[in-house]
Amino acid sequence: MPEGDTVYRTARHLDQVLAGRVIERWELRVPAHATSDLTGRTVDQVVSRGKHLLLRAGDLTLHTHLAMEGDWHIYARGARWKKPAHTARAIIETAEHSVVGFELAVVELLPRSDEHTVVGHLGPDLLGPDWSAAEATTRLRAQPERSIASALLDQRTLAGLGNEYVNELCFIRGIRPESCVADTDASALIALAHRLITANRDRVERTTTGDTRRGRQSWVYGRAGRPCLRCGTLIQNRMLGEPGRERTTFWCPRCQR
């Protein structure tokens, strides 16, 4: 599941092969930008902002978002792609590499000076250089009646958490996902979120339990009907969230009371 750690790693890998290189092929397979051409420009950098990716080249920025299914692949120039060509939404080639964005939910080209229009609404970035636990805690506490799961998933509160992290955070802190923000220790949750996502930012296989073995990487997420790794009680699940934004939540009835 692409969450902030996945996007952070993706940005770092893209930056390693694109920054300072001249673009020899540029193709955006979306109607709004199908005629754009950055061939001949040099890529300045690729950075992440929460779950957003920003590729900067001169005065322009390519903004992409992975959502649920998207990902970027890096290939040696001329190598065969591992996904069907018709799912490619962005293709960027340098002398040495082909970088392909498959099934991207958002692909847009905008002036670099307008980046704030697509990421300016985000809260503090858990993996960003300007991370502020104090600001994130303030934003979280400003929503006292909201469920903790919904508040943590809201990228305006803090940027980078997805459903997996939110469910795991609630388990580790011993609270239900539907608990009101006012009934939780906001600062402790924020501190834990930062520790967890930072610990995973360099891992290909995410773990919140400290165990990287298959089936033991998470406490409750995706484990409905299976025994809790801590107490053996069967994990439960249900939908939670505002209409149109419902997400599946998981919890242990015994460990999260």
Side-chain angles (χ1 to χ4, degrees):
M1 187 71 64
E3 303 203 17
D5 51 354
T6 302
V7 180
Y8 173 91
R9 263 193 324 278
T10 300
R12 186 180 62 193
H13 293 158
L14 292 178
D15 189 72
Q16 288 171 347
V17 300
L18 291 177
R21 274 76 166 188
V22 175
I23 299 170
E24 296 190 356
R25 179 186 177 187
W26 175 273
E27 186 176 343
L28 301 184
R29 296 179 177 178
V30 295
H33 304 291
T35 60
S36 67
D37 187 7
L38 271 63
T39 301
R41 290 194 179 220
T42 299
V43 177
D44 297 316
Q45 62 182 164
V46 183
V47 299
S48 61
R49 182 76 175 87
K51 298 183 184 181
H52 300 254
L53 280 165
L54 303 171
L55 182 153
R56 296 164 174 159
D59 60 345
L60 293 176
T61 294
L62 174 65
H63 167 231
T64 61
H65 196 291
L66 304 181
M68 300 289 283
E69 306 295 336
D71 60 355
W72 282 92
H73 289 195
I74 299 172
Y75 302 99
R77 184 81 179 262
R80 184 175 181 178
W81 298 352
K82 295 181 180 180
K83 282 195 170 185
H86 73 270
T87 65
R89 296 292 176 265
I91 305 165
I92 304 165
E93 292 187 344
T94 66
E96 297 178 336
H97 293 95
S98 296
V99 175
V100 188
F102 294 99
E103 300 180 274
L104 302 174
V106 175
V107 179
E108 58 182 335
L109 192 64
L110 66 154
R112 189 163 169 174
S113 59
D114 289 345
E115 285 182 3
H116 66 278
T117 64
V118 293
V119 296
H121 66 288
L122 299 175
D125 184 351
L126 281 155
L127 294 175
D130 58 347
W131 165 248
S132 171
E135 173 62 20
T137 301
T138 297
R139 292 187 180 216
L140 185 57
R141 286 175 174 160
Q143 311 169 67
E145 302 305 319
R146 199 175 188 189
S147 75
I148 191 61
S150 295
L152 289 173
L153 283 170
D154 190 337
Q155 300 301 293
R156 296 169 298 182
T157 307
L158 68 165
L161 294 182
N163 203 34
E164 181 173 352
Y165 271 118
V166 168
N167 279 274
E168 293 296 285
L169 284 166
C170 288
F171 175 85
I172 295 169
R173 291 296 301 166
I175 58 177
R176 295 284 183 92
E178 69 270 18
S179 300
C180 291
V181 171
D183 297 329
T184 68
D185 185 337
S187 61
L189 273 165
I190 295 298
L192 178 60
H194 186 242
R195 289 200 304 273
L196 276 181
I197 201 167
T198 299
N200 280 293
R201 70 181 183 182
D202 297 321
R203 290 189 181 120
V204 175
E205 295 293 335
R206 181 185 301 135
T207 176
T208 54
T209 63
D211 192 334
T212 57
R213 290 175 293 174
R214 185 177 297 276
R216 301 187 67 85
Q217 295 165 289
S218 60
W219 293 106
V220 292
Y221 182 78
R223 304 191 72 250
R226 299 173 64 187
C228 174
L229 295 178
R230 181 179 291 167
C231 73
T233 304
L234 296 184
I235 301 299
Q236 297 185 12
N237 71 303
R238 73 180 181 91
M239 300 299 290
L240 177 71
E242 293 91 351
R245 291 188 171 187
E246 298 92 344
R247 304 294 293 274
T248 305
T249 56
F250 303 86
W251 73 94
C252 171
R254 183 174 181 180
C255 296
Q256 295 166 264
R257 293 187 176 181

